[in-house]
Structure formats: C-alpha cells, structure tokens
Amino acid sequence: MITSIFSKSQPINFIIVFFITLLAFVVGRLGLPTEHFTALFILEELGLFCVCYASILLVNFIVSKNSLSRKSNYEILLFSLFLFTLTQTTSNINILFSNFFVLLGLRRVISLRSQIEVNKNYLMPHFGLL
C-alpha cells in the first residue's frame, strides 16, 4: 500500500507527509512547559512548524534536482518518519534551525557533482555551515 502511494510523485504524498510532520511536531512540543496561549505564542509555533516542513521540502528539492532517486517520494516519507521517531528534534528550536541550514549546505555540496560554477559551489556551503 505504501509502495503504491509513494512510488510516484503525487500531491497526496505531500499531504500525508504534512500530517505526519504535524503529528511529530505536536507530540514533540506537548512535553514542553508552555506559556499561555497568546497570539505571539501561536505565531512562534506556526513559524517553527513552517521551518520543519520547509526542511522536508528542501530534502525533496535536493533529491529531485540532483536525481538522487527515481521519481518517488520515499525520501520525504522517511525524513518525516525520522522526525516522528526522534521527537527531541522538534522540541528544540536550535535543532530545527541547524537542521535547515545543514540541509542548505548539503544542497550546495551535492551540487558540486554538476561541475558548474565550482568555485561558488565550493565556498558557499562553508559560509552557511559556519
């Protein structure tokens, strides 16, 4: 069943991954001491969830742009299940942002295979990771 859904790139895949990520985010954030539910608190949590989901979309972009797998979406499913398994990653703000920036650096490192603008691709990941 999972193979029939995720073997092709379809919009339903992103919806399923969205709900898995939302569940992982909620489970990870439930154990934290919370403030009162104010508009600022909800905006902050929504922004953190957007960073978390942007990481998943960035993984999909890296894999599809560099032809690392076939036209499947197993990588985003595995990444979202990774977030769900290790809920500590969603409970710490620094881990969420560092995950996003490491993925940005990884995108540049993997793009070195194309041999286009090698000097730019060689220097930019180092600045992002610092």
Side-chain angles (χ1 to χ4, degrees):
M1 171 114 174
I2 293 175
T3 306
S4 64
I5 293 174
F6 284 95
S7 64
K8 298 175 187 145
S9 181
Q10 300 171 349
I12 190 73
N13 299 346
F14 292 100
I15 294 170
I16 292 169
V17 167
F18 176 81
F19 284 114
I20 292 171
T21 307
L22 182 65
L23 182 65
F25 190 78
V26 168
V27 167
R29 303 299 277 179
L30 278 180
L32 298 176
T34 58
E35 305 168 6
H36 297 289
F37 287 105
T38 62
L40 183 63
F41 176 74
I42 293 174
L43 265 157
E44 181 181 315
E45 295 297 315
L46 186 64
L48 290 175
F49 178 72
C50 287
V51 168
C52 192
Y53 196 67
S55 297
I56 291 175
L57 294 177
L58 186 59
V59 166
N60 186 43
F61 175 75
I62 291 169
V63 170
S64 65
K65 196 71 167 172
N66 295 304
S67 302
L68 297 178
S69 73
R70 296 185 187 110
K71 297 286 182 183
S72 65
N73 285 332
Y74 289 119
E75 63 279 347
I76 62 170
L77 174 67
L78 290 174
F79 192 79
S80 64
L81 289 174
F82 169 73
L83 287 176
F84 185 67
T85 305
L86 301 172
T87 55
Q88 298 90 350
T89 58
T90 57
S91 63
N92 192 344
I93 297 171
N94 294 330
I95 292 175
L96 282 176
F97 282 111
S98 65
N99 180 31
F100 183 74
F101 287 116
V102 165
L103 284 173
L104 283 176
L106 183 66
R107 180 182 72 89
R108 287 292 193 166
V109 169
I110 291 176
S111 69
L112 282 173
R113 287 184 3 186
S114 67
Q115 297 296 322
I116 299 172
E117 298 180 4
V118 175
N119 291 336
K120 180 180 158 190
N121 287 341
Y122 183 69
L123 290 175
M124 290 307 288
H126 295 95
F127 291 127
L129 293 176
L130 291 177

mmCIF file of all heavy atoms in Angstrom, residues 89-128:
data_model
loop_
_atom_site.group_PDB
_atom_site.id
_atom_site.type_symbol
_atom_site.label_atom_id
_atom_site.label_comp_id
_atom_site.label_asym_id
_atom_site.label_seq_id
_atom_site.Cartn_x
_atom_site.Cartn_y
_atom_site.Cartn_z
ATOM 1 N N THR A 89 13.976 16.293 18.193
ATOM 2 C CA THR A 89 14.394 17.228 17.155
ATOM 3 C C THR A 89 13.393 18.359 16.976
ATOM 4 O O THR A 89 13.772 19.462 16.605
ATOM 5 C CB THR A 89 14.578 16.511 15.813
ATOM 6 O OG1 THR A 89 13.358 15.868 15.452
ATOM 7 C CG2 THR A 89 15.678 15.499 15.878
ATOM 8 N N THR A 90 12.126 18.101 17.244
ATOM 9 C CA THR A 90 11.130 19.165 17.098
ATOM 10 C C THR A 90 10.924 19.953 18.385
ATOM 11 O O THR A 90 10.295 20.998 18.362
ATOM 12 C CB THR A 90 9.777 18.580 16.648
ATOM 13 O OG1 THR A 90 9.351 17.608 17.589
ATOM 14 C CG2 THR A 90 9.886 17.970 15.278
ATOM 15 N N SER A 91 11.461 19.470 19.482
ATOM 16 C CA SER A 91 11.259 20.187 20.736
ATOM 17 C C SER A 91 12.293 21.274 20.970
ATOM 18 O O SER A 91 12.076 22.157 21.791
ATOM 19 C CB SER A 91 11.263 19.211 21.914
ATOM 20 O OG SER A 91 12.518 18.589 22.021
ATOM 21 N N ASN A 92 13.394 21.246 20.253
ATOM 22 C CA ASN A 92 14.446 22.237 20.435
ATOM 23 C C ASN A 92 14.517 23.137 19.207
ATOM 24 O O ASN A 92 14.702 22.667 18.082
ATOM 25 C CB ASN A 92 15.795 21.536 20.660
ATOM 26 C CG ASN A 92 16.862 22.485 21.137
ATOM 27 O OD1 ASN A 92 16.731 23.695 21.039
ATOM 28 N ND2 ASN A 92 17.920 21.919 21.668
ATOM 29 N N ILE A 93 14.403 24.434 19.430
ATOM 30 C CA ILE A 93 14.410 25.397 18.337
ATOM 31 C C ILE A 93 15.749 25.391 17.605
ATOM 32 O O ILE A 93 15.804 25.458 16.371
ATOM 33 C CB ILE A 93 14.095 26.815 18.872
ATOM 34 C CG1 ILE A 93 12.698 26.842 19.465
ATOM 35 C CG2 ILE A 93 14.236 27.855 17.795
ATOM 36 C CD1 ILE A 93 12.370 28.111 20.207
ATOM 37 N N ASN A 94 16.841 25.286 18.355
ATOM 38 C CA ASN A 94 18.164 25.313 17.733
ATOM 39 C C ASN A 94 18.383 24.130 16.812
ATOM 40 O O ASN A 94 19.031 24.252 15.769
ATOM 41 C CB ASN A 94 19.248 25.343 18.812
ATOM 42 C CG ASN A 94 19.215 26.622 19.607
ATOM 43 O OD1 ASN A 94 18.826 27.666 19.112
ATOM 44 N ND2 ASN A 94 19.605 26.541 20.866
ATOM 45 N N ILE A 95 17.848 22.973 17.167
ATOM 46 C CA ILE A 95 17.994 21.792 16.318
ATOM 47 C C ILE A 95 17.209 21.974 15.017
ATOM 48 O O ILE A 95 17.689 21.599 13.943
ATOM 49 C CB ILE A 95 17.539 20.523 17.063
ATOM 50 C CG1 ILE A 95 18.493 20.219 18.210
ATOM 51 C CG2 ILE A 95 17.461 19.334 16.124
ATOM 52 C CD1 ILE A 95 18.069 19.054 19.074
ATOM 53 N N LEU A 96 16.033 22.566 15.094
ATOM 54 C CA LEU A 96 15.243 22.791 13.880
ATOM 55 C C LEU A 96 15.966 23.709 12.905
ATOM 56 O O LEU A 96 16.052 23.423 11.704
ATOM 57 C CB LEU A 96 13.885 23.396 14.240
ATOM 58 C CG LEU A 96 12.837 22.450 14.781
ATOM 59 C CD1 LEU A 96 11.590 23.220 15.184
ATOM 60 C CD2 LEU A 96 12.496 21.396 13.771
ATOM 61 N N PHE A 97 16.497 24.814 13.420
ATOM 62 C CA PHE A 97 17.194 25.747 12.539
ATOM 63 C C PHE A 97 18.516 25.178 12.034
ATOM 64 O O PHE A 97 18.872 25.369 10.872
ATOM 65 C CB PHE A 97 17.418 27.091 13.242
ATOM 66 C CG PHE A 97 16.188 27.940 13.266
ATOM 67 C CD1 PHE A 97 15.529 28.191 14.450
ATOM 68 C CD2 PHE A 97 15.674 28.477 12.109
ATOM 69 C CE1 PHE A 97 14.384 28.965 14.479
ATOM 70 C CE2 PHE A 97 14.531 29.256 12.110
ATOM 71 C CZ PHE A 97 13.886 29.500 13.304
ATOM 72 N N SER A 98 19.242 24.469 12.886
ATOM 73 C CA SER A 98 20.509 23.885 12.424
ATOM 74 C C SER A 98 20.252 22.808 11.381
ATOM 75 O O SER A 98 21.019 22.681 10.419
ATOM 76 C CB SER A 98 21.305 23.328 13.595
ATOM 77 O OG SER A 98 20.625 22.250 14.198
ATOM 78 N N ASN A 99 19.183 22.052 11.525
ATOM 79 C CA ASN A 99 18.809 21.052 10.528
ATOM 80 C C ASN A 99 18.551 21.721 9.182
ATOM 81 O O ASN A 99 19.020 21.253 8.146
ATOM 82 C CB ASN A 99 17.577 20.293 11.000
ATOM 83 C CG ASN A 99 17.115 19.249 10.034
ATOM 84 O OD1 ASN A 99 17.909 18.669 9.310
ATOM 85 N ND2 ASN A 99 15.829 18.999 10.022
ATOM 86 N N PHE A 100 17.831 22.822 9.190
ATOM 87 C CA PHE A 100 17.518 23.532 7.951
ATOM 88 C C PHE A 100 18.791 24.063 7.286
ATOM 89 O O PHE A 100 18.974 23.907 6.072
ATOM 90 C CB PHE A 100 16.541 24.678 8.247
ATOM 91 C CG PHE A 100 16.108 25.424 7.023
ATOM 92 C CD1 PHE A 100 15.218 24.849 6.139
ATOM 93 C CD2 PHE A 100 16.592 26.686 6.770
ATOM 94 C CE1 PHE A 100 14.810 25.529 5.008
ATOM 95 C CE2 PHE A 100 16.193 27.376 5.647
ATOM 96 C CZ PHE A 100 15.297 26.799 4.756
ATOM 97 N N PHE A 101 19.684 24.659 8.066
ATOM 98 C CA PHE A 101 20.885 25.235 7.476
ATOM 99 C C PHE A 101 21.894 24.170 7.044
ATOM 100 O O PHE A 101 22.617 24.361 6.065
ATOM 101 C CB PHE A 101 21.523 26.244 8.432
ATOM 102 C CG PHE A 101 20.731 27.521 8.515
ATOM 103 C CD1 PHE A 101 20.134 27.898 9.703
ATOM 104 C CD2 PHE A 101 20.551 28.325 7.409
ATOM 105 C CE1 PHE A 101 19.381 29.063 9.781
ATOM 106 C CE2 PHE A 101 19.803 29.491 7.476
ATOM 107 C CZ PHE A 101 19.224 29.859 8.662
ATOM 108 N N VAL A 102 21.921 23.046 7.721
ATOM 109 C CA VAL A 102 22.784 21.941 7.268
ATOM 110 C C VAL A 102 22.263 21.393 5.945
ATOM 111 O O VAL A 102 23.046 21.059 5.054
ATOM 112 C CB VAL A 102 22.872 20.841 8.354
ATOM 113 C CG1 VAL A 102 23.439 19.553 7.796
ATOM 114 C CG2 VAL A 102 23.730 21.325 9.508
ATOM 115 N N LEU A 103 20.956 21.331 5.797
ATOM 116 C CA LEU A 103 20.395 20.893 4.517
ATOM 117 C C LEU A 103 20.708 21.878 3.396
ATOM 118 O O LEU A 103 20.968 21.471 2.256
ATOM 119 C CB LEU A 103 18.884 20.698 4.635
ATOM 120 C CG LEU A 103 18.436 19.440 5.351
ATOM 121 C CD1 LEU A 103 16.925 19.457 5.558
ATOM 122 C CD2 LEU A 103 18.852 18.209 4.595
ATOM 123 N N LEU A 104 20.706 23.174 3.702
ATOM 124 C CA LEU A 104 21.099 24.159 2.691
ATOM 125 C C LEU A 104 22.553 23.968 2.279
ATOM 126 O O LEU A 104 22.902 24.057 1.091
ATOM 127 C CB LEU A 104 20.884 25.580 3.219
ATOM 128 C CG LEU A 104 19.460 26.094 3.240
ATOM 129 C CD1 LEU A 104 19.413 27.471 3.890
ATOM 130 C CD2 LEU A 104 18.883 26.148 1.850
ATOM 131 N N GLY A 105 23.423 23.707 3.241
ATOM 132 C CA GLY A 105 24.826 23.440 2.919
ATOM 133 C C GLY A 105 24.984 22.146 2.145
ATOM 134 O O GLY A 105 25.793 22.066 1.207
ATOM 135 N N LEU A 106 24.225 21.143 2.505
ATOM 136 C CA LEU A 106 24.277 19.861 1.807
ATOM 137 C C LEU A 106 23.828 20.005 0.359
ATOM 138 O O LEU A 106 24.370 19.357 -0.539
ATOM 139 C CB LEU A 106 23.405 18.834 2.533
ATOM 140 C CG LEU A 106 23.390 17.429 1.977
ATOM 141 C CD1 LEU A 106 24.758 16.790 2.144
ATOM 142 C CD2 LEU A 106 22.334 16.608 2.682
ATOM 143 N N ARG A 107 22.881 20.882 0.131
ATOM 144 C CA ARG A 107 22.416 21.134 -1.239
ATOM 145 C C ARG A 107 23.557 21.638 -2.106
ATOM 146 O O ARG A 107 23.750 21.202 -3.233
ATOM 147 C CB ARG A 107 21.273 22.140 -1.223
ATOM 148 C CG ARG A 107 20.738 22.464 -2.600
ATOM 149 C CD ARG A 107 19.644 23.494 -2.521
ATOM 150 N NE ARG A 107 20.136 24.805 -2.193
ATOM 151 C CZ ARG A 107 20.548 25.696 -3.093
ATOM 152 N NH1 ARG A 107 20.549 25.390 -4.372
ATOM 153 N NH2 ARG A 107 20.951 26.888 -2.719
ATOM 154 N N ARG A 108 24.360 22.547 -1.557
ATOM 155 C CA ARG A 108 25.483 23.078 -2.314
ATOM 156 C C ARG A 108 26.590 22.042 -2.503
ATOM 157 O O ARG A 108 27.215 21.976 -3.546
ATOM 158 C CB ARG A 108 26.071 24.307 -1.607
ATOM 159 C CG ARG A 108 25.214 25.508 -1.701
ATOM 160 C CD ARG A 108 25.159 25.988 -3.115
ATOM 161 N NE ARG A 108 24.573 27.314 -3.137
ATOM 162 C CZ ARG A 108 24.629 28.104 -4.161
ATOM 163 N NH1 ARG A 108 25.232 27.728 -5.240
ATOM 164 N NH2 ARG A 108 24.055 29.267 -4.117
ATOM 165 N N VAL A 109 26.828 21.238 -1.504
ATOM 166 C CA VAL A 109 27.866 20.222 -1.604
ATOM 167 C C VAL A 109 27.499 19.177 -2.654
ATOM 168 O O VAL A 109 28.334 18.767 -3.466
ATOM 169 C CB VAL A 109 28.118 19.561 -0.226
ATOM 170 C CG1 VAL A 109 28.996 18.343 -0.356
ATOM 171 C CG2 VAL A 109 28.750 20.566 0.724
ATOM 172 N N ILE A 110 26.250 18.761 -2.666
ATOM 173 C CA ILE A 110 25.813 17.776 -3.655
ATOM 174 C C ILE A 110 25.822 18.368 -5.053
ATOM 175 O O ILE A 110 26.093 17.674 -6.025
ATOM 176 C CB ILE A 110 24.430 17.212 -3.274
ATOM 177 C CG1 ILE A 110 24.556 16.358 -2.029
ATOM 178 C CG2 ILE A 110 23.836 16.392 -4.401
ATOM 179 C CD1 ILE A 110 23.259 15.821 -1.502
ATOM 180 N N SER A 111 25.576 19.662 -5.167
ATOM 181 C CA SER A 111 25.585 20.286 -6.494
ATOM 182 C C SER A 111 26.993 20.396 -7.074
ATOM 183 O O SER A 111 27.145 20.757 -8.238
ATOM 184 C CB SER A 111 24.922 21.660 -6.442
ATOM 185 O OG SER A 111 25.710 22.560 -5.714
ATOM 186 N N LEU A 112 28.014 20.066 -6.304
ATOM 187 C CA LEU A 112 29.377 20.050 -6.849
ATOM 188 C C LEU A 112 29.541 18.981 -7.926
ATOM 189 O O LEU A 112 30.454 19.066 -8.736
ATOM 190 C CB LEU A 112 30.400 19.808 -5.741
ATOM 191 C CG LEU A 112 30.733 20.994 -4.868
ATOM 192 C CD1 LEU A 112 31.619 20.564 -3.713
ATOM 193 C CD2 LEU A 112 31.423 22.071 -5.675
ATOM 194 N N ARG A 113 28.680 17.994 -7.929
ATOM 195 C CA ARG A 113 28.754 16.943 -8.943
ATOM 196 C C ARG A 113 28.536 17.486 -10.342
ATOM 197 O O ARG A 113 29.015 16.917 -11.315
ATOM 198 C CB ARG A 113 27.707 15.872 -8.676
ATOM 199 C CG ARG A 113 28.009 15.004 -7.542
ATOM 200 C CD ARG A 113 27.023 13.898 -7.359
ATOM 201 N NE ARG A 113 25.976 13.810 -8.365
ATOM 202 C CZ ARG A 113 24.965 12.981 -8.298
ATOM 203 N NH1 ARG A 113 24.850 12.182 -7.267
ATOM 204 N NH2 ARG A 113 24.050 12.938 -9.233
ATOM 205 N N SER A 114 27.804 18.575 -10.470
ATOM 206 C CA SER A 114 27.475 19.106 -11.791
ATOM 207 C C SER A 114 28.645 19.818 -12.451
ATOM 208 O O SER A 114 28.611 20.062 -13.652
ATOM 209 C CB SER A 114 26.290 20.061 -11.692
ATOM 210 O OG SER A 114 26.665 21.213 -10.971
ATOM 211 N N GLN A 115 29.660 20.189 -11.697
ATOM 212 C CA GLN A 115 30.847 20.877 -12.206
ATOM 213 C C GLN A 115 30.525 22.223 -12.859
ATOM 214 O O GLN A 115 31.246 22.696 -13.720
ATOM 215 C CB GLN A 115 31.608 19.993 -13.205
ATOM 216 C CG GLN A 115 32.155 18.715 -12.618
ATOM 217 C CD GLN A 115 33.197 18.978 -11.557
ATOM 218 O OE1 GLN A 115 34.002 19.893 -11.672
ATOM 219 N NE2 GLN A 115 33.170 18.186 -10.501
ATOM 220 N N ILE A 116 29.432 22.844 -12.468
ATOM 221 C CA ILE A 116 29.075 24.182 -12.942
ATOM 222 C C ILE A 116 29.310 25.145 -11.795
ATOM 223 O O ILE A 116 28.804 24.954 -10.691
ATOM 224 C CB ILE A 116 27.599 24.229 -13.390
ATOM 225 C CG1 ILE A 116 27.378 23.259 -14.536
ATOM 226 C CG2 ILE A 116 27.209 25.633 -13.794
ATOM 227 C CD1 ILE A 116 25.915 23.104 -14.923
ATOM 228 N N GLU A 117 30.069 26.201 -12.055
ATOM 229 C CA GLU A 117 30.413 27.208 -11.051
ATOM 230 C C GLU A 117 30.969 26.543 -9.793
ATOM 231 O O GLU A 117 30.455 26.721 -8.684
ATOM 232 C CB GLU A 117 29.196 28.067 -10.715
ATOM 233 C CG GLU A 117 28.654 28.854 -11.880
ATOM 234 C CD GLU A 117 27.454 29.692 -11.501
ATOM 235 O OE1 GLU A 117 27.091 29.716 -10.315
ATOM 236 O OE2 GLU A 117 26.890 30.323 -12.389
ATOM 237 N N VAL A 118 32.040 25.803 -9.965
ATOM 238 C CA VAL A 118 32.610 25.016 -8.884
ATOM 239 C C VAL A 118 33.121 25.907 -7.753
ATOM 240 O O VAL A 118 32.928 25.601 -6.569
ATOM 241 C CB VAL A 118 33.737 24.106 -9.419
ATOM 242 C CG1 VAL A 118 34.428 23.373 -8.285
ATOM 243 C CG2 VAL A 118 33.181 23.128 -10.424
ATOM 244 N N ASN A 119 33.743 27.046 -8.085
ATOM 245 C CA ASN A 119 34.270 27.923 -7.035
ATOM 246 C C ASN A 119 33.147 28.455 -6.138
ATOM 247 O O ASN A 119 33.283 28.502 -4.923
ATOM 248 C CB ASN A 119 35.034 29.093 -7.652
ATOM 249 C CG ASN A 119 36.314 28.632 -8.305
ATOM 250 O OD1 ASN A 119 36.844 27.587 -7.947
ATOM 251 N ND2 ASN A 119 36.785 29.386 -9.279
ATOM 252 N N LYS A 120 32.041 28.854 -6.751
ATOM 253 C CA LYS A 120 30.902 29.357 -5.967
ATOM 254 C C LYS A 120 30.294 28.222 -5.127
ATOM 255 O O LYS A 120 29.978 28.415 -3.964
ATOM 256 C CB LYS A 120 29.859 29.929 -6.919
ATOM 257 C CG LYS A 120 28.636 30.467 -6.247
ATOM 258 C CD LYS A 120 27.682 30.999 -7.290
ATOM 259 C CE LYS A 120 26.291 31.030 -6.742
ATOM 260 N NZ LYS A 120 25.308 31.319 -7.761
ATOM 261 N N ASN A 121 30.161 27.057 -5.726
ATOM 262 C CA ASN A 121 29.579 25.927 -5.005
ATOM 263 C C ASN A 121 30.507 25.414 -3.913
ATOM 264 O O ASN A 121 30.055 24.773 -2.978
ATOM 265 C CB ASN A 121 29.249 24.785 -5.968
ATOM 266 C CG ASN A 121 28.046 25.086 -6.815
ATOM 267 O OD1 ASN A 121 27.260 25.946 -6.486
ATOM 268 N ND2 ASN A 121 27.909 24.379 -7.913
ATOM 269 N N TYR A 122 31.790 25.654 -4.038
ATOM 270 C CA TYR A 122 32.730 25.182 -3.029
ATOM 271 C C TYR A 122 32.752 26.099 -1.809
ATOM 272 O O TYR A 122 32.870 25.637 -0.679
ATOM 273 C CB TYR A 122 34.125 25.079 -3.644
ATOM 274 C CG TYR A 122 35.151 24.527 -2.697
ATOM 275 C CD1 TYR A 122 35.087 23.199 -2.305
ATOM 276 C CD2 TYR A 122 36.150 25.325 -2.173
ATOM 277 C CE1 TYR A 122 36.005 22.675 -1.424
ATOM 278 C CE2 TYR A 122 37.076 24.810 -1.297
ATOM 279 C CZ TYR A 122 37.011 23.486 -0.926
ATOM 280 O OH TYR A 122 37.910 22.974 -0.049
ATOM 281 N N LEU A 123 32.617 27.405 -2.019
ATOM 282 C CA LEU A 123 32.720 28.349 -0.910
ATOM 283 C C LEU A 123 31.411 28.551 -0.157
ATOM 284 O O LEU A 123 31.419 28.727 1.054
ATOM 285 C CB LEU A 123 33.214 29.698 -1.426
ATOM 286 C CG LEU A 123 34.668 29.724 -1.885
ATOM 287 C CD1 LEU A 123 34.976 31.081 -2.491
ATOM 288 C CD2 LEU A 123 35.592 29.432 -0.739
ATOM 289 N N MET A 124 30.280 28.528 -0.842
ATOM 290 C CA MET A 124 29.017 28.867 -0.203
ATOM 291 C C MET A 124 28.579 27.913 0.902
ATOM 292 O O MET A 124 28.062 28.363 1.914
ATOM 293 C CB MET A 124 27.911 28.978 -1.268
ATOM 294 C CG MET A 124 28.076 30.192 -2.167
ATOM 295 S SD MET A 124 28.237 31.736 -1.260
ATOM 296 C CE MET A 124 26.578 31.934 -0.662
ATOM 297 N N PRO A 125 28.774 26.598 0.795
ATOM 298 C CA PRO A 125 28.353 25.739 1.907
ATOM 299 C C PRO A 125 29.135 26.014 3.192
ATOM 300 O O PRO A 125 28.589 25.913 4.279
ATOM 301 C CB PRO A 125 28.637 24.317 1.422
ATOM 302 C CG PRO A 125 28.827 24.400 -0.012
ATOM 303 C CD PRO A 125 29.203 25.801 -0.341
ATOM 304 N N HIS A 126 30.385 26.411 3.057
ATOM 305 C CA HIS A 126 31.183 26.672 4.233
ATOM 306 C C HIS A 126 30.688 27.901 4.985
ATOM 307 O O HIS A 126 30.690 27.945 6.195
ATOM 308 C CB HIS A 126 32.658 26.822 3.838
ATOM 309 C CG HIS A 126 33.225 25.548 3.303
ATOM 310 N ND1 HIS A 126 33.275 25.293 1.952
ATOM 311 C CD2 HIS A 126 33.722 24.459 3.926
ATOM 312 C CE1 HIS A 126 33.814 24.098 1.771
ATOM 313 N NE2 HIS A 126 34.080 23.572 2.938
ATOM 314 N N PHE A 127 30.250 28.907 4.232
ATOM 315 C CA PHE A 127 29.710 30.096 4.892
ATOM 316 C C PHE A 127 28.382 29.773 5.571
ATOM 317 O O PHE A 127 28.091 30.296 6.636
ATOM 318 C CB PHE A 127 29.502 31.238 3.885
ATOM 319 C CG PHE A 127 30.797 31.805 3.373
ATOM 320 C CD1 PHE A 127 31.033 31.897 2.005
ATOM 321 C CD2 PHE A 127 31.787 32.220 4.235
ATOM 322 C CE1 PHE A 127 32.209 32.408 1.531
ATOM 323 C CE2 PHE A 127 32.975 32.738 3.769
ATOM 324 C CZ PHE A 127 33.191 32.820 2.409
ATOM 325 N N GLY A 128 27.582 28.928 4.947
ATOM 326 C CA GLY A 128 26.297 28.563 5.531
ATOM 327 C C GLY A 128 26.446 27.716 6.772
ATOM 328 O O GLY A 128 25.650 27.799 7.703
#
